[in-house]
Amino acid sequence: MGKRAAPFFYLLQAWAPPSNGYHVIRQRMRNNTGRTNWTDRLALALVILAPVLVKLPLILGLRIADPTPLYSRLASELTMAHPGNPTLDPNIAFTSQTLGHRAALDLLSGHMPWWNYFQGVGMPLAGEMQSAALFPLTPLLALPNGQLYMHIILQIIAGIFTVLLMRRLGMGTVAATLVGVLYEFNGTYAWLANAVINPIAFLPMILLGVEAVRARFSQPPDGLAGHSTGWCWIPVGLALSLYAGFPETAYLNGLLIGVWTLVRLIGLGSVRVGARYLSGVAGGAVVGMLLSAPILIAFTDFLLVANVGGHGGDGFRHMHLPAGNIVNLTLPYLFGHLGELPIPVGNGAFWGNVGGYAGMALVALGLVGAAGALRDGTYRALRLALATWAAVTMAATYGAPVITPLVTSIPAVGTAAFFRYFCASWQFSLSVLAGFAVQDLATASARRPGWQFWTGLAAAFAVTVAALTPAAPTLVGLPLTPWFQRSLMVGEAVLGGFALLGGLPLATRHRALLVAILAGLEAMLLFIVPLRSLPSAAVVETRGVTFLQQHLGQQRFYSLGPVTPNYGAYFGIAGINHNDMPLPRAWVDHVVKHLDDNTIDVLFTGFSRASASGPTALDNLLRNLDAYRQLGVKYVLGGPTNASDWTPPGSAAQQSGNSAGPLPPDGHAAFMVPLPNRGTVTQVGLFLGTYGGKSDGRLTVKLCAVDTCAQGSLVLDHPADNAYVSIPLDSGLTVAGGQARLDLQRTGGTQPLVLWMYPALPDSTRTLALDGGFAFDGFAPKLSLTLDAEGPLHPVFHDRVMTVYELDNPAPYFAAEGCTLSIQSREALVADCPTAVPLRRLELAMAGWSATVNGSPQAVAADGPLFQRIDLPAGRSVVTFRFQPPSISLGYVLLVLGLVALMAANWWDGRIGGRPSSPGASV
């Protein structure tokens, strides 16, 4: 190999020892003259550079890739260049970024990231899986923009190994490069960015190992006879898939790997040869599981005591995507950017459950590649298997009768969100079929494409038209949105371009090249669309975080908004909020029973409500203050105005059906509004529409409870539009539940003003009167009542994004009656005790905790349903605590066995790698 090729192979050599995969790669990329094929080097260069170039604006800072400004509720300023969501799953922040960053810091400080002190009352970190705590790329998350670089590297890995796999199958350089580009810019990578995407990079890596095993018993189509090297990609790829942090994706991809492996039995000639092939693949899988033993044991130990949300029982067996959104497979942005469905096709659940798209080119070429199986005797079975896999999994995703029950009857599929996580596997299948289609074009004997090409284009067009049918009734008479028009134009351009290229008198290889370029460009174009919705500028206010870092100590905080879960772990401050899965079952039960009975079990966020008509998070905080104190909660975080802003049940949660009630000059309105159970109301906030800040005049409010009233007024001097406008009361109004009468009087003014109202809940607030002839029966005003901070919550810090309130008398993290404690960290302290006493520790009791007292092991017992206790002797005690999964010693032993097996197999492959295989049937 020439020296000019070396840079590309240094990268690949880092992933495989020279005696293994690198040997195959080096030989694979030589032509018959023994010289390096420059087109292969160009193919690898393209799949390496393409993700970097597409995301260059993010690397240069023209768009902010860091999810903190969008999801932490700490941004005081945020500039969005384009509307829409940059990704569909906010767990890019809540789990992947925050918990991954914590794991990275632990690893870089020399600690195994087994435990997370900064979420709930403590819980496993690596065993939670979504943190990808032990994944080799996770340390990048300690860097600014580390998540961006991690995602780019994952795309590059996906592209490289897809190209190598296609070359192993004998595809030409153009076709192999197209498959690599299509897969590294697939719809899952475009629409999701949390741990879901981590394992999909290793699907082609494992299949490359499968093909390497098969090559030992067959004559590969490109003439590389029987090279056995490359087996190691099976265990390495499998282990990386599991360490990557999302076992659902890894498992569903594993089903496709199983299908691929069985289909490739065809052509091996005899049962004996086939058995040896299957044993080689199975051996790789076993070694991969051995290598994954530490993370699998940590995960399994956690599952034994975990709340898994909707993954228990039937889980997602009866769920699927709305059939009316099938058209988004080929025209993903037909109805708008991510999160938008301006035309009522399907329902909003589509965006919350979809896992990706295909695109017109991928579907069209996939159909062409599948049709080509009729003339391809070499890979006919593989083509048909991939086409069947794509068709069946997509049909199950959209709830096809018969098919969906059959698919969900496969073990563990029904308990996974298969409709979201199957996407990567059918995208890969279609990408490979698209590569076969281009290969067919490049090797066709005639200068015109065969009937398979035209049939595939016609089928893609027919599928799209059929998918548009459910939307047709809603489209009649509606103006076409720019998104709708542009999406149709892109789809028409792709199909029209393919048809034009099929009709022009071109050399077959030139036609194949142009078709591949058009398909690759569409994939990158669709990928770029969500990136436009990233913020172009932001200011993240961290003074409140710094205050907590300096004053929190070993205590905890609870947030009603700012520092969303699990950003406490990101910043190293312990917050009891959580937004995660799995979670400790004991902790979730305690939250629902003792802290907030209206929270969603896996979403203890401080603002998410199980029932819009139930108590607010603030209501339950004030009602259960002692329960929060017992957890060691010292601070409560509220919004920048007042942590005690209270909104009527249902008001803040109402997202649709709102109405604007005009309040004319000198107009009057009166309402009956509910009141919080306790506190003193100091100001009233009304959600006003001011027509771009033009409203004027004076607005006076009067709030009366029983026989007591308080009032206040505000001059409307360019007030904010579609926002709460706060009106201070001249005296506080003490309330104790029930209802109050709210009177509004507008004096003077010439510009319009509206009061936003929402559909009231039955038997709750209602409009008494609204001047100007407007009646809103069954509607209530969108308002907030600010409660006096006097009482149990004392403000101690304020900035533009949060107010920090101190809660008096929180329980200490360590407590031992009569002892003097010198606390060094959450894991170490020195105690001086006059007599033997128990030491109580406010950390979740769970199997795996151990302690030492003066160097001697001490059993860690449970203290109540949540916390820990050990016994201290009289005198001076040096105490340390440690957590590791209970069976992790076995995991380490299995890991060593896996490494030994991998090295032994690698050595053996190095010895026989150049030997030709035994005679057998052709591929």
Side-chain angles (χ1 to χ4, degrees):
M1 182 182 303
K3 293 183 178 180
R4 292 175 298 174
F8 300 109
F9 297 106
Y10 290 150
L11 175 64
L12 298 173
Q13 195 171 6
W15 286 85
S19 63
N20 202 324
Y22 178 64
H23 172 76
V24 172
I25 296 166
R26 182 176 58 196
Q27 294 200 34
R28 180 69 53 183
M29 298 182 63
R30 289 178 179 271
N31 57 23
N32 293 333
T33 64
R35 305 178 66 179
T36 302
N37 190 332
W38 69 269
T39 58
D40 284 317
R41 300 203 304 269
L42 181 62
L44 287 182
L46 180 61
V47 296
I48 291 171
L49 294 177
V52 177
L53 294 176
V54 167
K55 292 189 173 180
L56 191 60
L58 282 63
I59 297 172
L60 297 178
L62 302 179
R63 289 288 188 275
I64 298 175
D66 182 0
T68 304
L70 285 176
Y71 299 106
S72 67
R73 295 199 176 190
L74 291 176
S76 58
E77 298 178 20
L78 192 63
T79 302
M80 306 296 294
H82 297 278
N85 298 313
T87 182
L88 289 177
D89 197 331
N91 280 312
I92 181 181
F94 299 144
T95 55
S96 295
Q97 183 202 24
T98 56
L99 302 182
H101 179 78
R102 176 51 43 192
L105 295 181
D106 285 352
L107 287 168
L108 294 176
S109 64
H111 296 88
M112 289 297 290
W114 295 128
W115 192 257
N116 177 13
Y117 287 100
F118 305 103
Q119 182 183 8
V121 288
M123 60 188 67
L125 181 54
E128 178 269 353
M129 290 301 281
Q130 294 190 69
S131 63
L134 303 182
F135 187 48
L137 295 180
T138 293
L140 289 172
L141 298 182
L143 302 174
N145 262 353
Q147 195 174 42
L148 169 63
Y149 305 134
M150 177 177 173
H151 290 168
I152 290 175
I153 292 173
L154 286 172
Q155 283 185 266
I156 290 173
I157 293 172
I160 286 177
F161 281 92
T162 301
V163 170
L164 297 177
L165 174 62
M166 296 304 102
R167 294 294 286 141
R168 166 73 83 171
L169 293 177
M171 275 192 193
T173 305
V174 171
T177 304
L178 173 63
V179 183
V181 169
L182 291 176
Y183 191 56
E184 70 180 353
F185 288 104
N186 66 63
T188 299
Y189 274 138
W191 281 5
L192 300 177
N194 57 317
V196 171
I197 70 171
N198 296 352
I200 68 179
F202 307 106
L203 172 59
M205 179 185 290
I206 299 172
L207 292 176
L208 181 63
V210 172
E211 288 300 314
V213 173
R214 191 181 189 280
R216 187 174 296 177
F217 309 108
S218 65
Q219 181 77 16
D222 60 2
L224 287 180
H227 290 290
S228 61
T229 56
W231 169 89
C232 74
W233 295 125
I234 298 176
V236 170
L238 176 58
L240 289 173
S241 294
L242 293 171
Y243 281 110
F246 215 83
E248 289 169 284
T249 306
Y251 173 70
L252 296 178
N253 285 351
L255 295 178
L256 173 60
I257 294 169
V259 170
W260 181 296
T261 301
L262 293 176
V263 168
R264 296 296 280 153
L265 277 169
I266 298 173
L268 288 178
S270 68
V271 174
R272 178 173 173 271
V273 173
R276 293 175 62 189
Y277 156 68
L278 290 178
S279 65
V281 174
V286 169
V287 174
M289 298 296 284
L290 292 175
L291 295 175
S292 308
I295 194 63
L296 291 177
I297 285 176
F299 180 49
T300 302
D301 283 337
F302 189 14
L303 284 183
L304 295 175
V305 295
N307 179 310
V308 295
H311 294 272
D314 280 344
F316 301 97
R317 190 178 304 277
H318 304 294
M319 294 181 62
H320 55 81
L321 297 183
N325 291 106
I326 294 179
V327 69
N328 291 90
L329 282 173
T330 54
L331 302 173
Y333 306 107
L334 187 67
F335 301 119
H337 49 67
L338 298 192
E340 184 180 17
L341 282 173
I343 300 175
V345 178
N347 54 62
F350 170 73
W351 290 117
N353 293 320
V354 69
Y357 59 84
M360 186 65 75
L362 185 56
V363 171
L365 292 182
L367 291 168
V368 174
L374 298 179
R375 69 172 188 178
D376 181 2
T378 303
Y379 292 110
R380 177 178 298 149
L382 182 59
R383 292 197 198 205
L384 293 177
L386 293 175
T388 302
W389 178 270
V392 168
T393 54
M394 282 193 288
T397 295
Y398 286 90
V402 180
I403 294 178
T404 302
L406 286 175
V407 171
T408 55
S409 66
I410 300 172
V413 172
T415 60
F418 64 93
F419 43 84
R420 189 169 214 179
Y421 306 138
F422 259 137
C423 290
S425 65
W426 58 250
Q427 288 162 353
F428 177 79
S429 300
L430 290 176
S431 298
V432 176
L433 290 172
F436 279 126
V438 171
Q439 183 71 8
D440 291 343
L441 290 174
T443 58
S445 57
R447 292 179 60 86
R448 301 284 185 182
W451 65 267
Q452 297 93 343
F453 180 79
W454 298 107
T455 300
L457 297 190
F461 178 76
V463 167
T464 303
V465 171
L468 273 170
T469 301
T474 64
L475 300 178
V476 176
L478 292 177
L480 296 182
T481 66
W483 285 101
F484 195 94
Q485 294 171 322
R486 293 167 190 162
S487 294
L488 286 180
M489 288 174 59
V490 170
E492 292 167 358
V494 169
L495 286 182
F498 286 164
L500 178 63
L501 292 173
L504 291 176
L506 298 172
T508 54
R509 57 191 180 92
H510 293 159
R511 178 182 290 108
L513 176 61
L514 292 175
V515 166
I517 290 174
L518 181 57
L521 289 176
E522 189 215 25
M524 288 186 277
L525 174 63
L526 297 177
F527 186 92
I528 289 171
V529 172
L531 302 181
R532 299 167 66 248
S533 296
L534 287 167
S536 57
V539 176
V540 177
E541 184 68 67
T542 59
R543 288 182 297 160
V545 171
T546 302
F547 173 87
L548 293 173
Q549 290 171 334
Q550 294 172 347
H551 296 89
L552 195 59
Q554 311 306 325
Q555 304 301 129
R556 297 186 170 102
F557 72 88
Y558 170 62
S559 177
L560 295 168
V563 189
T564 52
N566 303 299
Y567 274 96
Y570 184 86
F571 292 112
I573 48 179
I576 66 170
N577 304 77
H578 65 243
N579 179 356
D580 203 357
M581 192 188 305
L583 290 162
R585 189 183 308 122
W587 165 243
V588 174
D589 292 345
H590 183 86
V591 168
V592 175
K593 292 178 182 178
H594 301 288
L595 301 182
D596 189 348
D597 59 8
N598 194 31
T599 192
I600 302 170
D601 55 0
V602 297
L603 296 176
F604 182 45
T605 63
F607 46 85
S608 300
R609 300 287 84 198
S611 171
S613 61
T616 66
L618 178 61
D619 286 338
N620 281 334
L621 169 66
L622 296 175
R623 185 178 64 187
N624 300 314
L625 279 174
D626 286 341
Y628 284 86
R629 291 188 180 99
Q630 292 167 13
L631 301 178
V633 173
K634 182 179 181 181
Y635 295 114
V636 174
L637 309 187
T641 304
N642 194 300
S644 297
D645 282 354
W646 181 89
T647 58
S651 174
Q654 191 69 39
Q655 300 296 322
S656 61
N658 295 333
S659 298
L663 192 62
D666 299 321
H668 171 263
F671 310 92
M672 294 300 295
V673 298
L675 293 173
N677 293 328
R678 67 183 73 180
T680 301
V681 180
T682 59
Q683 62 183 17
V684 175
L686 297 170
F687 203 80
L688 302 179
T690 63
Y691 295 87
K694 297 177 181 179
S695 300
D696 53 0
R698 176 183 291 273
L699 185 60
T700 301
V701 300
K702 184 178 181 181
L703 187 66
C704 297
V706 191
D707 298 326
T708 306
C709 296
Q711 67 179 26
S713 63
L714 179 72
V715 175
L716 301 176
D717 183 16
H718 305 292
D721 191 18
N722 295 328
Y724 281 102
V725 175
S726 296
I727 303 174
L729 301 179
D730 53 9
S731 62
L733 180 67
T734 302
V735 297
Q739 290 191 334
R741 178 185 171 103
L742 175 66
D743 287 275
L744 304 180
Q745 178 68 53
R746 183 183 179 193
T747 305
T750 59
Q751 300 298 320
L753 172 70
V754 297
L755 178 67
W756 280 105
M757 308 172 76
Y758 69 99
L761 298 166
D763 300 324
S764 62
T765 57
R766 62 186 182 88
T767 304
L768 294 181
L770 189 62
D771 286 357
F774 295 93
F776 286 85
D777 291 336
F779 281 79
K782 293 180 73 69
L783 61 83
S784 66
L785 301 178
T786 299
L787 302 180
D788 194 339
E790 291 299 325
L793 301 178
H794 311 289
V796 293
F797 177 85
H798 174 79
D799 64 13
R800 292 189 293 174
V801 297
M802 76 169 74
T803 304
V804 179
Y805 292 82
E806 187 171 6
L807 185 62
D808 55 356
N809 299 319
Y813 183 75
F814 288 110
E817 186 176 358
C819 298
T820 301
L821 303 181
S822 176
I823 300 172
Q824 301 169 2
S825 69
R826 294 182 183 274
E827 297 180 337
L829 76 154
V830 177
D832 285 296
C833 302
T835 60
V837 295
L839 172 71
R840 188 170 191 254
R841 181 180 185 231
L842 299 187
E843 198 71 34
L844 183 70
M846 186 173 167
W849 277 108
S850 61
T852 61
V853 178
N854 294 326
S856 299
Q858 172 73 266
V860 178
D863 187 86
L866 287 182
F867 297 128
Q868 303 172 13
R869 176 178 55 81
I870 64 170
D871 294 327
L872 296 180
R876 187 173 187 271
S877 299
V878 178
V879 183
T880 61
F881 290 86
R882 181 190 181 195
F883 176 82
Q884 60 180 12
S887 306
I888 198 60
S889 297
L890 174 62
Y892 292 144
V893 172
L894 296 177
L895 171 62
V896 171
L897 288 177
L899 290 172
V900 171
L902 184 64
M903 290 186 291
N906 189 59
W907 171 79
W908 179 253
D909 274 357
R911 290 191 61 190
I912 68 172
R915 301 178 187 175
S917 62
S918 56
S922 61
V923 179

